[in-house]
Amino acid sequence: MALSGSDVIGQAKTGTGKTLGFGLPLLERVTVPADVEAGRAAPEKLTDAPQALIVVPTRELCQQVTNDLLTAGKVRNVRVLAIYGGRAYEPQVEALKKGVDVVVGTPGRLLDLAGQRKLDLSHIRVLVLDEADEMLDLGFLPDVERIITMLPAKRQTMLFSATMPGAVISLARRYMSQPTHINATSPDDEGTTVKNTAQFVYRAHSMDKPEMVSRILQAEGRGLAMIFCRTKRTAADIAEQLEKRGFASGAVHGDLGQGAREQALRAFRNGKVDVLVCTDVAARGIDVEGVTHVINYQSPEDEKTYLHRIGRTGRAGAKGTAITLVDWDDIPRWQLINKALDLKFPDPAETYSTSPHLFEDLGIPAGTKGVLPRAERTRAGLRAEEIEDLGETGGRGRKSSSSAPAPREERAPRTPRQRRRTRGGSSVEEGAVTVPAPSAEAAGEDAAEPRTPRRRRRTRAAVPEGVSEAAVAVAEAPAVEAAPVAEAEPAAEAKPRRRRTRTAAAKPAVEAAPAAEPVVDFQTVAMAAPVAEPAVTKPRRRTRVVKPADEVDFQIAPVSEPVSETKPRRRTRAAAKPKAEVVVEKTAIAEEVAETKPRRRRPRAAEKAQTAPVTEAVADGEAAPAKPRRRRARATTAAAESAEG
């Protein structure tokens, strides 16, 4: 029927050879150079574009079908290409440019390449939908319909599947022309399962299942075995436990990269691994010779999944054993499967790893434990199979050994970033080198140590007008009298900052005042010191300096008022202390105020004019009285007027 060119719906049990059922007619309809040389086809029919398309649901099945078609078309030299996700685009695009006769692919990657105009579907003569029911279950129906709309209207369409639900029938009616439905069965085979497969169903506890599986794998005559799980996490866990028990096991599930999945399947086919733990991605079309046991570690979702799982054994006339472990929670689901398939296990027997009937049914030697003896560990294991570099795409966050990063030794050494702690735009090191150093007489032996050179930086502006050069020289040059202050407070030298350095530069000016004069206000000194370097300005809240008697400002308190009334309480206490202690204490207070108060970037012109006389006075050794705040001055003036009135 397929060789005649008519549309066919093929339905047969799994393991009965559906791949060659559509593969051989497909290879006959493809025109290759050998046909032109033999005179069976005209040269005009030769083309490098694909002439046949096979759509499959899974990547593993894509590889399976490609290998079978390569084997069948080897004599005629038919070019077959597998296109599926998880691999790099470039090799597939290069192969398409060189020319391909048959394309086998998954729906997602086929749509990608066709949308990029890398895959030409205008010369397709034959379309095959393999495992169509699985594509519907996986949600590929919209993608399959989009692919069909890209194909020529005149073509042969074949649809093959082990089960034929209603959605598949409706798809066939929509896109096929007078299809012939062929259901292949054996006369002596009853039911929906293969007769050569012996089935056993046990009710098992989830905590005892690993021990049961370990003993089942040591049954007599056991060859390769496949263990099916419902979830990816369970498959990875069981594969790890079996490896610890001494079995050569591998895993195939969706969380693995494509390279790791193909590595496990190759090791399983080559015999390096004899136990393959997988999810339902490997339940369709996987044909491995020598699989004798299939274990359903968890109950399947429905009867179709059960048929495809146990169909991995008993293929092509061989005998096999299918074992299903049903948990207590899965009994209702299993009863539905049992009824749909008309099996004879409605109520499975309760079984444990030490149950005698388990050993009798499966031929397990008496005294078998859950660990494989060392004498029987003859398999090379999964690590003996090399991982192929597929240039995997996507899969962000996947932990795949095939996409492992390069070793750290091969990478270029990364220069660490040098971070410096800053405050107010200046680094700690810069503030440390600008602290006035003690003189040679005061330092003694410490003067012989090398001094770190000062790092000079451009200032924002030059020395403002009104500031004498003597004041700047006094502020910059270290004095001999500053040595006791530096020795009395070593903590100030250990972690200085720019503001502390500038405040400390005013110490010689404060000490230059005679002892008989009143103690200079620390707020006045702190305000006058930054005038030499306008990079740091006085915060908004500041004290104002009282003008001389000949320039009386009527907005503030008169000069005749005593200064002690407007000064804070700290000033009166500091007057009774020794000079050195006062300087140290007020310098620390000035540093604390400079750190806590905000910083004004643009000083006003009036402020510079007011602070200029104060700087000159400090440079000459005279202390100017502090100017009271505006609020206090107004309050004092109001009190004086009320007293006069």
Side-chain angles (χ1 to χ4, degrees):
M1 296 294 298
L3 286 171
S4 63
S6 60
D7 293 354
V8 174
I9 298 177
Q11 182 178 0
K13 296 179 182 180
T14 177
T16 55
K18 293 189 299 296
T19 302
L20 292 182
F22 64 77
L24 294 179
L26 179 142
L27 294 175
E28 288 292 331
R29 291 182 61 85
V30 171
T31 303
V32 294
D35 298 335
V36 178
E37 295 175 0
R40 292 190 297 267
E44 295 80 11
K45 292 186 178 181
L46 285 177
T47 177
D48 289 335
Q51 304 176 41
L53 177 64
I54 303 174
V55 184
V56 294
T58 62
R59 302 172 184 176
E60 285 74 21
L61 183 57
C62 181
Q63 287 183 315
Q64 174 88 26
V65 174
T66 302
N67 294 333
D68 291 345
L69 293 182
L70 284 174
T71 303
K74 185 176 181 181
V75 176
R76 299 180 64 224
N77 195 17
V78 180
R79 297 170 295 180
V80 185
L81 176 63
I83 294 180
Y84 54 91
R87 300 180 70 112
Y89 282 87
E90 290 77 9
Q92 299 175 0
V93 174
E94 291 296 330
L96 289 173
K97 289 181 179 179
K98 293 179 180 179
V100 174
D101 298 325
V102 180
V103 170
V104 185
T106 54
R109 182 55 66 90
L110 290 174
L111 282 178
D112 289 345
L113 295 179
Q116 299 174 11
R117 301 184 183 274
K118 306 293 185 182
L119 176 62
D120 184 10
L121 299 177
S122 59
H123 296 80
I124 296 296
R125 303 175 188 173
V126 182
L127 170 66
V128 177
L129 300 180
D130 191 16
E131 304 290 356
D133 55 344
E134 177 71 6
M135 282 191 285
L136 297 179
D137 294 340
L138 297 178
F140 288 145
L141 180 60
D143 296 341
V144 172
E145 292 179 348
R146 289 179 57 189
I147 293 174
I148 293 177
T149 56
M150 299 179 183
L151 304 178
K154 187 178 180 180
R155 66 179 185 275
Q156 180 185 8
T157 304
M158 292 185 286
L159 191 150
F160 284 78
S161 177
T163 57
M164 202 62 59
V168 177
I169 299 298
S170 62
L171 178 69
R173 291 175 179 174
R174 199 179 324 155
Y175 296 106
M176 300 179 73
S177 174
Q178 298 179 351
T180 303
H181 191 168
I182 302 175
N183 191 353
T185 58
S186 177
D188 58 345
D189 197 2
E190 299 178 358
T192 56
T193 59
V194 180
K195 187 177 181 180
N196 292 333
T197 302
Q199 304 178 51
F200 300 92
V201 183
Y202 302 108
R203 182 184 300 185
H205 196 277
S206 59
M207 298 183 67
D208 193 41
K209 285 183 179 180
E211 189 73 18
M212 292 182 63
V213 171
S214 300
R215 303 192 179 194
I216 292 173
L217 292 177
Q218 301 181 52
E220 296 179 354
R222 197 267 299 179
L224 302 181
M226 298 183 69
I227 302 176
F228 287 97
C229 304
R230 262 207 313 262
T231 62
K232 296 177 286 188
R233 180 176 298 180
T234 305
D237 183 43
I238 295 304
E240 184 179 357
Q241 290 192 38
L242 291 177
E243 186 177 1
K244 292 180 179 179
R245 293 174 182 264
F247 296 93
S249 62
V252 175
H253 53 81
D255 278 349
L256 293 176
Q258 186 60 29
R261 291 164 66 170
E262 295 187 12
Q263 176 201 23
L265 277 175
R266 284 199 311 271
F268 189 60
R269 286 191 173 97
N270 297 336
K272 298 177 182 178
V273 168
D274 61 343
V275 180
L276 187 66
V277 186
C278 50
T279 55
D280 290 331
V281 297
R284 295 273 181 159
I286 302 302
D287 185 14
V288 180
E289 185 178 357
V291 177
T292 59
H293 285 67
V294 170
I295 302 175
N296 291 318
Y297 188 84
Q298 293 173 312
S299 177
E301 293 289 343
D302 48 23
E303 65 276 6
K304 294 185 299 181
T305 307
Y306 177 78
L307 289 177
H308 286 288
R309 282 184 178 183
I310 68 173
R312 299 314 100 206
T313 184
R315 302 177 68 86
K319 294 183 178 180
T321 304
I323 305 161
T324 304
L325 305 180
V326 184
D327 204 345
W328 269 258
D329 297 338
D330 295 331
I331 290 296
R333 179 187 286 109
W334 169 252
Q335 290 178 348
L336 293 176
I337 296 173
N338 182 81
K339 183 178 180 180
L341 299 178
D342 194 17
L343 301 178
K344 302 177 181 179
F345 312 100
D347 190 14
E350 185 174 346
T351 308
Y352 296 94
S353 58
T354 56
S355 301
H357 63 273
L358 176 67
F359 287 77
E360 295 176 2
D361 295 343
L362 303 178
I364 303 175
T368 302
K369 302 297 181 182
V371 179
L372 186 67
R374 294 188 178 274
E376 300 180 10
R377 301 180 185 181
T378 57
R379 304 278 179 172
L382 182 63
R383 294 180 178 86
E385 187 71 26
E386 296 182 0
I387 300 180
E388 182 183 359
D389 187 10
L390 305 178
E392 297 182 26
T393 59
R396 180 176 296 178
R398 289 181 177 177
K399 297 180 179 180
S400 173
S401 57
S402 60
S403 58
R408 300 186 65 89
E409 293 77 12
E410 299 179 2
R411 299 181 183 177
R414 180 176 176 269
T415 304
R417 180 181 177 185
Q418 295 183 359
R419 299 180 178 271
R420 294 186 300 176
R421 184 177 180 184
T422 60
R423 185 178 184 89
S426 61
S427 62
V428 179
E429 291 86 351
E430 296 171 0
V433 299
T434 55
V435 176
S439 61
E441 294 80 4
E445 298 178 358
D446 298 337
E449 298 180 0
R451 181 175 178 272
T452 305
R454 177 181 178 183
R455 295 178 60 183
R456 298 184 179 274
R457 299 179 61 183
R458 291 185 60 184
T459 57
R460 296 183 180 177
V463 179
E465 298 180 0
V467 181
S468 62
E469 297 180 359
V472 177
V474 171
E476 292 182 354
V480 179
E481 299 177 1
V485 180
E487 294 177 359
E489 190 177 0
E493 297 181 1
K495 48 178 182 179
R497 292 186 177 86
R498 181 179 295 177
R499 296 181 180 176
R500 299 183 182 181
T501 303
R502 295 175 180 173
T503 307
K507 294 180 183 180
V510 178
E511 295 174 1
E517 295 291 334
V519 179
V520 182
D521 184 11
F522 71 96
Q523 297 182 357
T524 305
V525 178
M527 180 182 66
V531 176
E533 297 181 14
V536 181
T537 59
K538 186 64 183 176
R540 184 175 296 176
R541 298 181 61 183
R542 64 185 184 279
T543 56
R544 304 182 64 181
V545 182
V546 180
K547 295 183 179 181
D550 53 349
E551 299 179 3
V552 179
D553 190 355
F554 293 97
Q555 296 181 0
I556 62 177
V559 185
S560 58
E561 294 183 5
V563 182
S564 60
E565 296 180 0
T566 61
K567 289 184 178 181
R569 189 173 298 177
R570 301 176 186 174
R571 304 172 187 173
T572 56
R573 293 181 180 179
K577 295 183 179 181
K579 184 176 180 180
E581 298 179 3
V582 171
V583 173
V584 173
E585 179 181 357
K586 294 187 177 181
T587 303
I589 296 176
E591 292 173 356
E592 181 179 357
V593 172
E595 292 179 2
T596 56
K597 289 187 177 181
R599 167 184 169 184
R600 288 188 57 185
R601 299 180 179 178
R602 299 181 180 178
R604 298 180 180 178
E607 180 181 349
K608 294 181 180 180
Q610 293 177 2
T611 56
V614 180
T615 308
E616 295 179 0
V618 172
D620 297 337
E622 297 178 2
K627 192 171 184 179
R629 298 180 180 177
R630 181 174 294 181
R631 296 181 181 176
R632 296 182 182 177
R634 291 180 179 176
T636 309
T637 307
E641 292 178 358
S642 61
E644 291 178 0

